[in-house]
Amino acid sequence: MPEFKTVCHTLTADLKTGPDIRDITPELQAFVTSSGVSAGVLHLFVIGSTGSLTTIEYEPGVVADLKRAITALAPADQEYAHEQAWHDGNGHSHVQAALMGPSLSVPVRDQRLVTGTWQQVVVINHDNGPRKRKIALNLTGVTV
Amino acid sequence: MPEFKTVCHTLTADLKTGPDIRDITPELQAFVTSSGVSAGVLHLFVIGSTGSLTTIEYEPGVVADLKRAITALAPADQEYAHEQAWHDGNGHSHVQAALMGPSLSVPVRDQRLVTGTWQQVVVINHDNGPRKRKIALNLTGVTV
Amino acid sequence: MPEFKTVCHTLTADLKTGPDIRDITPELQAFVTSSGVSAGVLHLFVIGSTGSLTTIEYEPGVVADLKRAITALAPADQEYAHEQAWHDGNGHSHVQAALMGPSLSVPVRDQRLVTGTWQQVVVINHDNGPRKRKIALNLTGVTV
């Protein structure tokens, strides 16, 4: 008999100095498949205040265009009040990540993520150095 | 006896060349009413990488202002790396949609969407031509 | 025996003239603790079209930097079509809030919000006067 459940997992993704963008769709689909949940929603949340999540057509052109647009929102070479207190060089990273947002919810049906053919889920590192980003996953829905 | 369930539906909305913005609140409320769910959350996800979702006061002034701001984030007349590979003229559409984000979650109580009086849920088409946008809906909550 | 449930609450936060940013993490954690839900997702939605939600490292520098970036997205001293119809002086508020987005989903495990050490959940008032912002909370998950 179908059962309602929520399945938790934490995904880890290695990213380069920001803005760096990585496709995590295959890992997410593997998690959905292993969860036993047939219909519901996969909630993603990037842990830490210099990461974000969105969807894009993951091809080198869009990746380059989005990096440029993110940089324009908060360029690294501007002055930041965060710098004056902390001197860690990532004032722009905090602003970029806050504007993009840390959470994303993707529907699941028939044990598949419901995304477009040319639409991939990506995690973005905005920090001024490489980061192992952690993404908390919560899949809530009914089993087969 | 109240029962926990998740109800799936796919909404279709005709939109003009982007940025075009359409109020889908009435269709969403009709879905909530028909679902039998009394309290929970309606999760929305626009399928495809050139659409997005947000809420606005849906009146012609705000619609015009938001279109202008979206265009400023990624103007159509700039050069895009996506163009150089695909020549489909929608590099700006991809960037705009990725910055806005594809998902939105709206609370439901007493079988009503919990939105402000002057706050409507809108789908945005960023593509460089008219599009029939598909929005996956998942309503998760308890029945009356 | 663990039970699946959704717990609703409405949080109220006093904010100054926008852009004003307030940390609501302690209130959210108190709600999670009192709910009895052990694992799931806390969904937040700001009611009204001139408020938004995101996460930041809540320290005065980042707060000042984010305020500046939000203002740059839609400055108060530009002309807005919304103004011409309503003359209420908050055209920029509507645009800023629509770009930031009204919803956020934060994971919960072991009765704790899963956020980074330097990552706080904030509500933003974009309106051109002080506002008592209402945030609808829906915590969906399993009890202990």
Side-chain angles (χ1 to χ4, degrees):
Chain A
M1 192 185 153
E3 179 198 358
F4 219 95
K5 66 176 181 178
T6 188
V7 188
C8 301
H9 184 60
T10 303
L11 195 70
T12 303
D14 281 303
L15 285 118
K16 297 175 187 162
T17 296
D20 190 35
I21 302 173
R22 186 172 152 177
D23 179 11
I24 54 170
T25 316
E27 290 93 327
L28 297 178
Q29 182 57 55
F31 168 64
V32 170
T33 303
S34 71
S35 71
V37 170
S38 176
V41 180
L42 175 62
H43 302 288
L44 300 88
F45 182 87
V46 63
I47 302 173
S49 55
T50 55
S52 69
L53 294 161
T54 191
T55 62
I56 60 167
E57 180 184 339
Y58 195 78
E59 62 85 17
V62 169
V63 168
D65 293 332
L66 182 55
K67 285 182 181 179
R68 189 181 62 170
I70 288 170
T71 301
L73 286 176
D77 58 6
Q78 276 189 5
E79 286 193 18
Y80 292 90
H82 179 66
E83 292 308 288
Q84 290 161 20
W86 295 94
H87 308 291
D88 49 5
N90 70 352
H92 63 287
S93 314
H94 286 278
V95 173
Q96 291 173 5
L99 294 177
M100 296 292 294
S103 73
L104 188 73
S105 297
V106 185
V108 170
R109 294 182 194 170
D110 300 325
Q111 299 192 279
R112 304 287 308 171
L113 291 167
V114 181
T115 46
T117 311
W118 313 106
Q119 181 181 30
Q120 282 72 45
V121 179
V122 294
V123 58
I124 305 177
N125 177 37
H126 300 275
D127 222 334
N128 63 338
R131 285 290 297 269
K132 203 178 280 288
R133 304 269 36 152
K134 286 186 184 173
I135 304 119
L137 307 180
N138 279 61
L139 176 52
T140 299
V142 289
T143 56
V144 191
Chain B
M1 193 186 153
E3 179 199 358
F4 219 94
K5 66 175 182 178
T6 189
V7 187
C8 301
H9 184 61
T10 304
L11 195 69
T12 303
D14 281 304
L15 285 119
K16 296 176 187 162
T17 297
D20 189 36
I21 302 173
R22 186 173 151 175
D23 179 11
I24 54 171
T25 316
E27 290 94 326
L28 298 179
Q29 183 55 55
F31 168 64
V32 169
T33 303
S34 70
S35 72
V37 170
S38 176
V41 180
L42 175 62
H43 302 288
L44 299 88
F45 182 87
V46 62
I47 302 173
S49 54
T50 55
S52 70
L53 295 161
T54 191
T55 62
I56 60 168
E57 180 185 339
Y58 195 78
E59 61 87 16
V62 170
V63 168
D65 293 333
L66 182 56
K67 284 181 182 179
R68 189 181 62 170
I70 288 170
T71 300
L73 287 175
D77 58 5
Q78 276 189 4
E79 286 193 18
Y80 292 90
H82 178 65
E83 291 309 287
Q84 290 161 20
W86 295 95
H87 307 291
D88 49 4
N90 70 352
H92 62 288
S93 315
H94 286 279
V95 172
Q96 290 173 6
L99 294 178
M100 296 292 295
S103 74
L104 188 72
S105 297
V106 185
V108 170
R109 293 182 194 168
D110 299 324
Q111 299 192 279
R112 303 287 308 171
L113 291 167
V114 181
T115 47
T117 311
W118 313 107
Q119 181 181 31
Q120 283 72 46
V121 180
V122 295
V123 59
I124 305 176
N125 177 37
H126 300 275
D127 221 335
N128 64 338
R131 286 289 296 268
K132 204 179 278 289
R133 305 267 37 151
K134 286 186 184 174
I135 304 120
L137 307 180
N138 280 61
L139 176 52
T140 300
V142 288
T143 56
V144 190
Chain C
M1 191 187 155
E3 180 200 357
F4 219 95
K5 67 175 181 177
T6 188
V7 187
C8 301
H9 184 60
T10 303
L11 195 69
T12 303
D14 281 304
L15 284 118
K16 296 175 189 163
T17 296
D20 190 35
I21 302 173
R22 185 173 151 175
D23 178 11
I24 53 170
T25 316
E27 291 93 326
L28 297 178
Q29 182 57 55
F31 168 64
V32 170
T33 303
S34 71
S35 71
V37 170
S38 176
V41 180
L42 175 62
H43 302 288
L44 300 88
F45 183 86
V46 62
I47 302 173
S49 54
T50 55
S52 69
L53 295 160
T54 191
T55 63
I56 60 168
E57 180 184 340
Y58 195 77
E59 61 86 16
V62 169
V63 168
D65 293 334
L66 182 56
K67 285 181 182 179
R68 190 180 62 170
I70 287 170
T71 300
L73 286 176
D77 58 5
Q78 277 189 7
E79 286 193 17
Y80 292 90
H82 178 64
E83 292 309 288
Q84 290 161 19
W86 295 93
H87 307 292
D88 50 3
N90 71 352
H92 61 289
S93 315
H94 286 279
V95 172
Q96 290 173 6
L99 295 178
M100 296 292 295
S103 74
L104 188 72
S105 298
V106 185
V108 170
R109 294 181 195 170
D110 300 324
Q111 299 192 280
R112 303 287 306 170
L113 291 166
V114 181
T115 46
T117 311
W118 313 107
Q119 181 180 31
Q120 282 72 46
V121 180
V122 295
V123 59
I124 305 176
N125 177 37
H126 300 276
D127 221 335
N128 64 338
R131 287 289 297 269
K132 205 178 278 287
R133 305 266 39 151
K134 287 186 184 173
I135 303 119
L137 308 180
N138 279 60
L139 177 52
T140 299
V142 290
T143 55
V144 191

